[in-house]
């Protein structure tokens, strides 16, 4: 899903649900084996990079990059 849809999906879950920040996403990656339940995939963060891009965390190898929202 795109960034806007990801934000809406979190909001629909109710109070307290949100996209993690770029730094929080990195922490999730570093602890993914302890937390479990993650798929080696891209996860949006709430951290924007300019007006058109947002940061993504890839949980397969820990790589972070920004891309078009």
């Amino acid at each position: 899903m795109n960034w806007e849809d990801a934000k809406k999906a979190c909001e629909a879950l109710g109070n307290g649900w949100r996209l993690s920040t770029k730094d929080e996403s990195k922490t999730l990656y570093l602890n993914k084996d302890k937390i479990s339940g993650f798929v080696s995939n891209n996860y949006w963060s709430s951290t924007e990079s300019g007006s058109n891009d947002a940061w993504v965390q890839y949980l397969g190898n820990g790589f972070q990059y920004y891309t078009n929202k």
Side-chain angles (χ1 to χ4, degrees):
M1 75 178 58
N2 66 36
W3 187 74
E4 288 293 337
D5 289 342
K7 283 180 57 177
K8 288 176 187 174
C10 288
E11 291 169 7
L13 290 171
N15 192 22
W17 286 92
R18 61 178 176 76
L19 292 177
S20 59
T21 66
K22 178 180 179 266
D23 291 339
E24 290 168 339
S25 295
K26 186 64 167 187
T27 300
L28 287 173
Y29 168 74
L30 294 172
N31 292 286
K32 69 179 179 143
D33 294 332
K34 295 174 189 170
I35 300 168
S36 76
F38 289 105
V39 177
S40 290
N41 210 339
N42 292 316
Y43 290 82
W44 286 109
S45 82
S46 63
T47 306
E48 297 179 73
S49 179
S51 59
N52 296 318
D53 298 325
W55 284 88
V56 171
Q57 174 72 54
Y58 179 64
L59 289 185
N61 62 10
F63 185 66
Q64 290 185 321
Y65 62 96
Y66 59 88
T67 189
N68 191 278
K69 297 187 247 182

